[in-house]
Amino acid sequence: MLDLHKLHAFVVVVEERNITHAANRLFIQQPPLTRLLKKLEEELGTQLLVRQPRGIEPTEAGLALFKEAQILLEHAKHIPKLVQDVSQGKTGQLNIGFTSSAGMHPLISLVLRSYREIYPGVQTKLEEAGSQKQLDRLISEKLDIAFLRAPISRDIGLKHLHILDEPMMVALPIGHPLTQKEKISSSDLSDENFVLYRRSSGQGLYDNILYSCYQAGFSPRIIQEAPRPTATLNLVAAGIGITIVPASMHNFWNHEIVYREFDSSIKLNAPLYLITRESENSAKVANFIDLLQTLLPTI
């Protein structure tokens, strides 16, 4: 393997075309420099330099080495900073997953925007998917972080951080009788037709809705399911039924849908969790989590 020290000395000699000048530039004596060049020629098995009346000139092989050595030395010069940037989480790629409902919370857009401003050298790749797919991709290391609506309930090599709880609201089509009420009670919902998104798309939120309805004394009559929360709101806007969504979605279809809060008879919140691998030691992930926790009080 070629010694970078020898390559650097060789490049300086070719640039100076003079052993004495090159030695002064390298802060070494002329005899050690001459021996170093001779050793490099022996290692490569060819003559690299020839003495001419006008100074030292590279041979054809020496000129080829000179050009390659310049590239190599320039690259080597940036390696320490690259290593430092990686160790400090200032470069690379951060793969972030989120469910449809989690991605609509304003905290997510805030932390992503702030992270890109603070760490412009890190590319963020975003992926929307159902809960189980995100967990699988975390385990297979295709995702670094995931935002879900449910914690990790079993030992699968992942861990969760509870970020916040946001209230949930009832989404009603324009003209629905319940739009006349300021707040919705459990008794108001017992005979209503519900549209929900499929459990596979967001298990935590789906289960939370059903459990809260059971706790309030009724089982929701689900007449149709959709692939994601936004699709359920499309169905609500079409008058097919009502649904329950996190409050952060209350601006969606707000000309076709009326959103109402629950009264005290229903305690229904939508938690938000950040999921990572238990073994995660990436500085990029640590920086993201630190920034997220810093921004939480502003939401």
Side-chain angles (χ1 to χ4, degrees):
M1 183 179 294
L2 291 175
D3 186 335
L4 290 180
H5 176 63
K6 293 175 185 173
L7 287 178
H8 179 235
F10 173 77
V11 167
V12 171
V13 169
V14 173
E15 290 175 344
E16 294 292 337
R17 296 295 201 272
N18 183 287
I19 289 290
T20 302
H21 293 168
N24 290 336
R25 183 172 155 189
L26 292 166
F27 302 102
I28 61 175
Q29 297 298 314
Q30 183 175 332
L33 176 57
T34 301
R35 290 194 295 270
L36 185 149
L37 295 171
K38 185 65 176 176
K39 180 68 173 176
L40 181 60
E41 289 181 326
E42 291 174 356
E43 290 176 358
L44 294 174
T46 188
Q47 186 178 7
L48 300 173
L49 300 166
V50 293
R51 291 183 180 274
Q52 301 285 3
R54 61 181 179 275
I56 293 177
E57 295 290 337
T59 63
E60 185 178 5
L63 186 59
L65 176 63
F66 174 71
K67 292 177 180 178
E68 293 298 322
Q70 283 182 308
I71 296 171
L72 182 60
L73 291 170
E74 181 65 23
H75 180 71
K77 184 169 66 176
H78 297 290
I79 289 177
K81 185 177 186 307
L82 172 65
V83 172
Q84 291 171 3
D85 285 349
V86 170
S87 70
Q88 296 169 11
K90 295 180 179 179
T91 189
Q93 179 170 298
L94 187 65
N95 302 305
I96 303 171
F98 54 89
T99 58
S100 179
S101 69
M104 290 190 174
H105 195 282
L107 174 64
I108 307 302
S109 59
L110 174 61
V111 70
L112 287 173
R113 182 171 60 253
S114 301
Y115 185 82
R116 286 168 174 161
E117 291 173 354
I118 298 172
Y119 302 101
V122 180
Q123 179 184 1
T124 51
K125 183 179 179 182
L126 308 179
E127 177 180 321
E128 180 183 338
S131 302
Q132 188 55 54
K133 183 177 179 181
Q134 290 199 61
L135 296 178
D136 292 342
R137 291 180 69 78
L138 277 168
I139 293 170
S140 63
E141 300 188 4
K142 294 177 181 177
L143 283 179
D144 301 305
I145 292 169
F147 287 100
L148 303 180
R149 290 293 188 175
I152 301 303
S153 58
R154 61 189 187 281
D155 183 13
I156 54 176
L158 302 176
K159 60 183 178 181
H160 64 264
L161 172 67
H162 180 230
I163 299 173
L164 53 80
D165 291 303
E166 64 171 313
M168 299 196 74
M169 304 181 76
V170 180
L172 305 160
I174 292 289
H176 191 285
L178 291 180
T179 60
Q180 303 303 312
K181 302 192 65 172
E182 288 190 12
K183 293 193 175 183
I184 305 300
S185 67
S186 57
S187 59
D188 294 326
L189 301 177
S190 57
D191 295 324
E192 292 295 328
N193 292 327
F194 279 79
V195 290
L196 293 181
Y197 60 97
R198 298 183 189 123
R199 188 173 186 270
S200 59
S201 300
Q203 177 180 337
L205 206 54
Y206 184 98
D207 290 348
N208 196 20
I209 291 172
L210 263 62
Y211 177 76
S212 297
C213 290
Y214 297 153
Q215 289 290 98
F218 72 97
S219 177
R221 186 167 63 220
I222 303 170
I223 62 169
Q224 191 166 338
E225 293 186 342
R228 53 182 52 87
T230 51
T232 64
L233 291 176
N234 289 338
L235 296 175
V236 171
I240 293 174
I242 70 171
T243 195
I244 299 174
V245 295
S248 55
M249 298 179 68
H250 76 278
N251 286 323
F252 194 89
W253 275 95
N254 58 1
H255 295 297
E256 304 292 336
I257 294 175
V258 176
Y259 295 88
R260 289 289 182 263
E261 297 177 354
F262 289 106
D263 70 8
S264 59
S265 66
I266 296 182
K267 304 295 184 182
L268 185 53
N269 289 314
L272 185 62
Y273 293 88
L274 183 145
I275 316 295
T276 58
R277 286 179 290 277
E278 287 184 345
S279 59
E280 185 61 66
N281 58 7
S282 166
K284 298 190 301 292
V285 173
N287 291 341
F288 187 91
I289 294 174
D290 288 344
L291 177 61
L292 177 69
Q293 293 176 319
T294 300
L295 294 173
L296 264 177
T298 68
I299 296 297

